[in-house]
């Protein structure tokens, strides 16, 4: 029986998970591929750390040694940072290897180049693990996109932010206390900026955009807002209305162009995101035939992430065209701005101006906190004339309870 030889770059949470899964599921993998998969080399940084790997596996800190192996079919990458990862993967492709990556930051920046290079070298790229960990969102999109037209993708793509929001709501803890808890549990890094300021979700959204719509919006045009502005006061106001804060990335095609935003929004009980708690991730895909489907599951962790990478391993070894399928440019046309329906918003802050005619003041939720109805562009215009005002979109149709309608007249 012929053998598929694999190198794993990195032996941390993800790399070790992949190594262990290849051993524990050897029988299943061989049955599917008709070939054995053998890990022949592992790239690490610190040779002093003890690793539980077979003695015949080359454990090295020198990537050149891996490239020189007499047989190398697949390089599975689970290290960190954009460089040297990008350089290593370019070299692996040049050597004729399929590559599989979990590194969303690197892939958001250089995925296009890697896919182009892979095409030229007739190899494949697997990147399921870059978005929503163990949830097979990329595979699902590829399958859907064969016939369906995807119009909108929304996702809770960062487990750390979702955990912090859940803790704040359930335990009435401050943002700082909840972040500390996330760090104690190993969900947040010492520097949590990537997670809580929405960068991580942004990278994942850009990867999804490329798959679903064949292109990305201009990165500078994407509204990216983290969760640091959410206070317990705002959470309480939302709870009164039966709403929960969720940090949501959305990507859609409007007026022929792809638009995306990553920001906190409010969802009601009927929205599947309402029930997504802790470190879980979830993705809603809206498409024309099937309607809305929701995928939910572990967005990170040793074995969920390894699961995504092993599925990619099977794909690349079966030589399916995993990176070209699906990306489709044409899609349903969005409505021009003037025809866009008004939405509901929670608006909070020292609102000084008289009510704007383009804004309907619906209810007063708490001090300085109102529910309004407005088109986004009108609200943005209104907010520009205010200082220290924040606002959050309420996703979908929700039945809002009447709280304090009379008090709205104070505006
Ligand atoms: N953790 C998750 O649940 C998860 C989920 C989805 C995607 N990812 C992505 O997967 C990647 C790996 O994450 P992780 O959590 O497994 O990280 P990790 O636990 O910190 O492990 C990183 C591993 O890479 C090695 N490494 C780092 N830089 C290296 C370099 N320049 N050369 C050689 N080896 C290097 C480290 O070596 P030493 O062991 O010698 O220090 C370590 O084994 C990241 O891009 C992350 O964003 C992670």
């Amino acid at each position: 029986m012929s053998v598929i030889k694999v190198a794993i770059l990195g032996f941390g949470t993800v790399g070790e998970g992949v190594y262990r899964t290849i051993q524990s599921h050897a029988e299943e993998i061989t049955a599917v591929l008709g070939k054995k998969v053998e890990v022949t080399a592992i790239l690490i940084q610190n040779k002093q750390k003890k690793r539980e790997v077979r003695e015949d596996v080359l454990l090295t800190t020198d990537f050149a040694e891996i490239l020189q192996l007499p047989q190398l079919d697949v390089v599975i990458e689970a290290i960190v940072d954009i460089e040297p990862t990008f350089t290593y993967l370019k070299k692996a492709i040049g050597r004729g290897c399929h590559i599989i990556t979990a590194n969303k930051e690197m892939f958001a920046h250089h995925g296009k180049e890697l896919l182009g290079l892979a095409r030229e070298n007739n190899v494949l790229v697997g990147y399921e693990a870059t978005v929503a960990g163990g949830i097979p969102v990329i595979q699902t999109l590829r399958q859907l996109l064969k016939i369906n037209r995807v119009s909108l993708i929304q996702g809770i793509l960062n487990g750390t932010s979702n955990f912090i929001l859940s803790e704040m709501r359930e335990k009435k803890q401050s943002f700082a206390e909840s972040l500390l808890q996330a760090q104690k549990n190993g969900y947040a890094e010492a520097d949590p900026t990537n997670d809580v300021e929405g960068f991580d979700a942004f990278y994942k959204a850009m990867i999804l955009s490329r798959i679903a719509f064949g292109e990305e919006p201009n990165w500078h045009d994407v509204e990216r807002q983290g969760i640091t502005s959410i206070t317990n006061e705002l959470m309480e106001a939302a709870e009164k209305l039966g709403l929960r804060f969720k940090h949501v990335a959305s990507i859609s095609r409007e007026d022929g162009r792809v638009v995306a935003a990553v920001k906190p929004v409010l969802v009601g009980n009927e929205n599947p995101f309402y029930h997504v708690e802790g470190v879980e991730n979830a993705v809603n895909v809206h498409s024309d035939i099937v309607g809305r489907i929701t995928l939910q599951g572990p967005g990170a962790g040793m074995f969920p992430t390894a699961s995504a990478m092993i599925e990619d391993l099977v794909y690349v070894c079966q030589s399916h065209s995993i990176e070209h399928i699906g990306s489709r440019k044409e899609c349903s046309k969005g409505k021009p701005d003037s025809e866009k329906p008004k939405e509901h918003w929670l608006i909070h802050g020292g609102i000084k101006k008289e009510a704007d005619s383009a804004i309907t003041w619906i209810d007063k939720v708490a001090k300085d906190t109102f529910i309004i109805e407005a088109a986004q562009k009108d609200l943005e215009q209104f907010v520009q004339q205010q200082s220290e005002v924040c606002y959050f979109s309420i996703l979908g149709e929700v039945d809002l309870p009447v709280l304090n309608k009379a008090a709205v007249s104070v505006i």
Side-chain angles (χ1 to χ4, degrees):
M1 182 186 285
S2 58
V3 174
I4 295 165
K5 302 235 177 183
V6 170
I8 302 175
L9 313 188
F11 202 71
T13 307
V14 176
E16 185 174 353
V18 170
Y19 176 79
R20 286 169 57 181
T21 307
I22 289 175
Q23 314 305 316
S24 64
H25 287 67
E27 241 177 70
E28 289 83 352
I29 295 170
T30 308
V32 171
L33 296 177
K35 290 176 182 177
K36 268 177 75 173
V37 168
E38 202 176 288
V39 177
T40 49
I42 296 173
L43 183 77
I44 36 112
Q45 223 172 8
N46 180 352
K47 271 205 158 173
Q48 309 310 318
K49 279 191 205 167
K50 259 192 92 61
R51 327 264 176 179
E52 288 197 15
V53 295
R54 284 191 338 261
E55 276 185 5
D56 58 336
V57 176
L58 167 70
L59 210 54
T60 179
T61 54
D62 183 2
F63 184 63
E65 275 195 83
I66 292 181
L67 278 185
Q68 284 159 11
L69 289 169
Q71 185 192 340
L72 185 62
D73 303 299
V74 184
V75 170
I76 299 181
E77 181 270 314
I79 55 178
V80 291
D81 297 330
I82 295 178
E83 284 294 357
T85 315
F86 178 47
T87 303
Y88 289 170
L89 292 184
K90 278 194 292 188
K91 287 185 176 167
I93 291 173
R95 153 92 207 248
C97 299
H98 300 301
I99 59 163
I100 294 167
T101 180
N103 187 330
K104 53 254 170 181
E105 185 174 5
M106 181 281 301
F107 202 71
H109 282 91
H110 295 300
K112 206 170 162 189
E113 286 148 276
L114 287 176
L115 290 170
L117 202 60
R119 208 170 289 133
E120 284 166 22
N121 285 270
N122 211 19
V123 294
L124 299 167
V125 181
Y127 51 99
E128 181 68 72
T130 59
V131 182
I135 307 175
V137 56
I138 292 176
Q139 212 177 98
T140 305
L141 274 173
R142 282 196 199 103
Q143 185 61 35
L144 263 186
L145 284 162
K146 287 178 182 165
I147 305 296
N148 273 266
R149 290 186 187 137
V150 170
S151 53
L152 168 67
I153 301 172
Q154 293 166 317
I156 295 177
L157 300 177
N158 184 272
T160 308
S161 294
N162 202 51
F163 174 83
I164 292 172
L165 291 177
S166 299
E167 289 280 294
M168 285 175 73
R169 201 194 67 252
E170 281 168 14
K171 301 190 178 153
K172 313 275 181 235
Q173 287 181 165
S174 68
F175 173 81
E177 288 167 324
S178 304
L179 170 60
L180 199 65
Q181 190 58 51
Q183 284 165 329
K184 276 187 191 154
N185 291 8
Y187 302 146
E189 297 188 16
D191 177 359
T193 311
N194 250 354
D195 292 326
V196 300
E197 294 295 354
F199 290 102
D200 176 78
F202 168 82
Y203 295 137
K204 292 166 177 170
M206 294 304 99
I207 295 170
L208 287 179
S209 174
R210 211 181 296 139
I211 297 171
F213 302 114
E215 62 184 307
E216 293 166 29
N218 185 329
W219 283 19
H220 297 292
D221 294 338
V222 178
E223 184 186 352
R224 180 197 44 77
Q225 205 190 317
I227 56 166
T228 49
S229 61
I230 312 291
T231 59
N232 294 98
E233 188 190 359
L234 279 168
M235 282 212 161
E236 271 169 38
E239 274 205 289
K240 276 194 203 168
L241 297 161
L243 302 173
R244 285 181 183 171
F245 277 101
K246 296 289 163 189
H247 190 247
V248 171
S250 62
I251 315 115
S252 59
R253 188 186 286 279
E254 291 174 22
D255 303 335
R257 70 193 175 101
V258 179
V259 289
V262 179
K263 59 183 181 181
V265 297
L266 288 155
V267 295
N269 183 35
E270 80 302 334
N271 189 308
F273 289 168
Y274 185 87
H275 306 283
V276 179
E277 297 286 35
V279 285
E280 289 269 291
N281 280 194
V283 181
N284 278 338
V285 182
H286 300 247
S287 56
D288 61 346
I289 311 175
V290 70
R292 180 183 73 190
I293 57 170
T294 303
L295 302 166
Q296 181 179 345
M302 180 179 264
F303 292 111
T305 312
S307 161
M309 298 190 98
I310 298 296
E311 292 298 333
D312 272 350
L313 178 66
V314 169
Y315 256 106
V316 299
C317 292
Q318 285 179 329
S319 288
H320 287 160
S321 179
I322 71 167
E323 83 281 31
H324 314 308
I325 303 171
S327 298
R328 207 166 42 195
K329 289 225 168 196
E330 103 291 343
C331 200
S332 58
K333 284 198 187 100
K335 291 186 176 139
D337 270 358
S338 53
E339 287 174 32
K340 287 216 177 104
K342 290 184 170 186
E343 296 171 60
H344 285 112
W345 308 83
L346 184 83
I347 181 167
H348 172 84
I351 298 158
K352 293 192 189 87
K353 217 176 156 272
E354 284 294 301
D356 188 296
S357 61
I359 290 177
T360 313
W361 297 84
I362 306 245
D363 208 344
K364 180 168 179 171
V365 187
K367 185 172 178 285
D368 294 335
T369 310
F370 298 87
I371 293 290
I372 62 164
E373 191 181 56
Q376 181 161 351
K377 69 171 181 23
D378 295 327
L379 175 61
E380 282 167 355
Q381 226 166 29
F382 176 72
V383 167
Q384 264 175 19
Q385 299 152 14
Q386 313 287 322
S387 57
E388 309 270 322
V389 168
C390 58
Y391 57 91
F392 304 95
S393 165
I394 300 173
L395 285 194
E397 294 289 317
V398 283
D399 279 334
L400 298 167
V402 175
L403 299 172
N404 203 4
K405 233 171 183 138
V408 169
S409 59
V410 298
I411 293 283

